[in-house]
Amino acid sequence: MTVYLYFSLIPEALIASNLPPEKFGQYYATGSGYKSKGQCIFFEVDPNYRSDYFDIKAAIERCVPAADGTPKHSVYISVYRVLEHLPISALGKLYLSTAYGHTLGLERGELSAEKESCLHLYQDLAPVNSLVVSNLAPVSFYESVTSNPTKFIRFPGLIFVELELDELAKDPENGQANDLPYPYIHHLREALMVLQPRTDEKPSTKDSKMVHRVHSLEFPYRMIKKGFYVGNGPDMVFYPMLSARDLRENHNQWWRSANL
């Protein structure tokens, strides 16, 4: 039986499994008997990837079906410092599973420069799970905590998603929150007001501010602004989120499940 390799972000782990991506997403979100519920995010990893840091060979040898043919759901290879030892080139599609087990696959897209001056809300997914506001565009934000840190905090890599701020991205003090579902709106406004969007006339003296140091990794998928950013050292890639229209028309079951 085929053995798949997955890099999970909730929690950060490298896993071997007999289950293909959609089945693995359902299992990981709901458990083997639908006894649990929680969204999950994971990458498919190149099955030929090998590393001296991970004992992948031993995990694959253990990843065999039961005597009755039931596939092996998961064999954990590592639950510590996975991202820094996993090259970007080994990552395939990114999968988003809803709390009800419906799974959507995202392909890599073009990582383009951000031209609009506005504030940003970033949810770190690995190796930390902080919630941060920043006036830095995604690539600059990544560099500020990896290759060119602005503080003593530095990571070998980072995976994060940008979330919607609506009118708060331009006017955090007076802008309308509209349908933003965040329960911490007041605190979010205060954090954003410390920052100001960068302009040529008004360079900022503070780039980023922590909203929550340790934040829940579950967030409404409909709040994803553009997509997911994945970096390890100098390498960085982008997984764009599908548009709401595309999700409604072509992935309706997943979209409805994500908004329950």
Side-chain angles (χ1 to χ4, degrees):
M1 184 173 285
T2 302
V3 177
Y4 300 86
L5 295 179
Y6 297 114
F7 172 32
S8 164
L9 304 185
I10 308 177
E12 184 181 1
L14 185 62
I15 303 169
S17 175
N18 289 145
L19 301 175
E22 289 74 16
K23 293 290 186 181
F24 179 79
Q26 177 182 311
Y27 156 73
Y28 214 50
T30 64
S32 56
Y34 293 88
K35 296 178 182 178
S36 59
K37 188 177 72 171
Q39 70 183 39
C40 63
I41 302 172
F42 61 95
F43 295 86
E44 190 170 8
V45 177
D46 181 352
N48 297 312
Y49 169 70
R50 296 294 182 270
S51 167
D52 293 336
Y53 185 80
F54 302 117
D55 194 354
I56 297 175
K57 182 176 181 293
I60 290 176
E61 291 174 350
R62 291 174 51 208
C63 193
V64 294
D68 63 358
T70 302
K72 185 70 174 179
H73 291 164
S74 61
V75 174
Y76 280 76
I77 301 169
S78 179
V79 293
Y80 180 64
R81 297 175 66 183
V82 176
L83 173 60
E84 66 180 284
H85 292 96
L86 193 60
I88 298 299
S89 59
L91 299 180
K93 292 178 70 173
L94 170 63
Y95 292 90
L96 310 180
S97 293
T98 70
Y100 297 89
H102 296 94
T103 301
L104 174 74
L106 300 179
E107 300 280 1
R108 288 190 189 183
E110 182 180 355
L111 182 62
S112 57
E114 180 94 17
K115 297 180 179 180
E116 183 183 17
S117 177
C118 64
L119 297 171
H120 306 267
L121 176 62
Y122 297 124
Q123 168 68 68
D124 298 336
L125 300 172
V128 293
N129 57 321
S130 305
L131 188 68
V132 182
V133 291
S134 180
N135 55 31
L136 298 175
V139 173
S140 297
F141 173 73
Y142 173 77
E143 292 173 346
S144 75
V145 294
T146 55
S147 61
N148 188 28
T150 55
K151 296 183 179 180
F152 293 112
I153 298 173
R154 182 172 186 169
F155 303 111
L158 186 69
I159 300 177
F160 62 98
V161 60
E162 182 171 5
L163 303 178
E164 287 284 0
L165 279 174
D166 208 330
E167 293 183 14
L168 276 60
K170 293 286 189 178
D171 185 1
E173 184 174 6
N174 301 306
Q176 295 295 313
N178 295 320
D179 67 342
L180 296 180
Y182 313 131
Y184 45 85
I185 287 293
H186 181 68
H187 180 47
L188 180 60
R189 283 186 187 273
E190 290 181 333
L192 289 165
M193 287 166 60
V194 174
L195 309 174
Q196 291 292 331
R198 286 172 170 261
T199 64
D200 294 335
E201 296 76 20
K202 187 171 56 177
S204 176
T205 58
K206 190 174 182 64
D207 291 326
S208 302
K209 182 172 177 57
M210 192 81 66
V211 179
H212 290 147
R213 193 171 305 279
V214 180
H215 190 70
S216 170
L217 287 176
E218 292 201 11
F219 54 88
Y221 286 139
R222 66 182 179 86
M223 287 294 104
I224 297 173
K225 185 175 181 180
K226 291 185 177 179
F228 294 79
Y229 300 86
V230 184
N232 191 348
D235 300 320
M236 188 177 184
V237 294
F238 175 58
Y239 288 80
M241 185 62 179
L242 302 180
S243 68
R245 179 177 180 180
D246 189 357
L247 291 170
R248 286 194 300 268
E249 293 181 357
N250 301 311
H251 307 275
N252 186 258
Q253 189 176 36
W254 182 91
W255 181 242
R256 290 179 63 187
S257 174
N259 287 284
L260 290 175

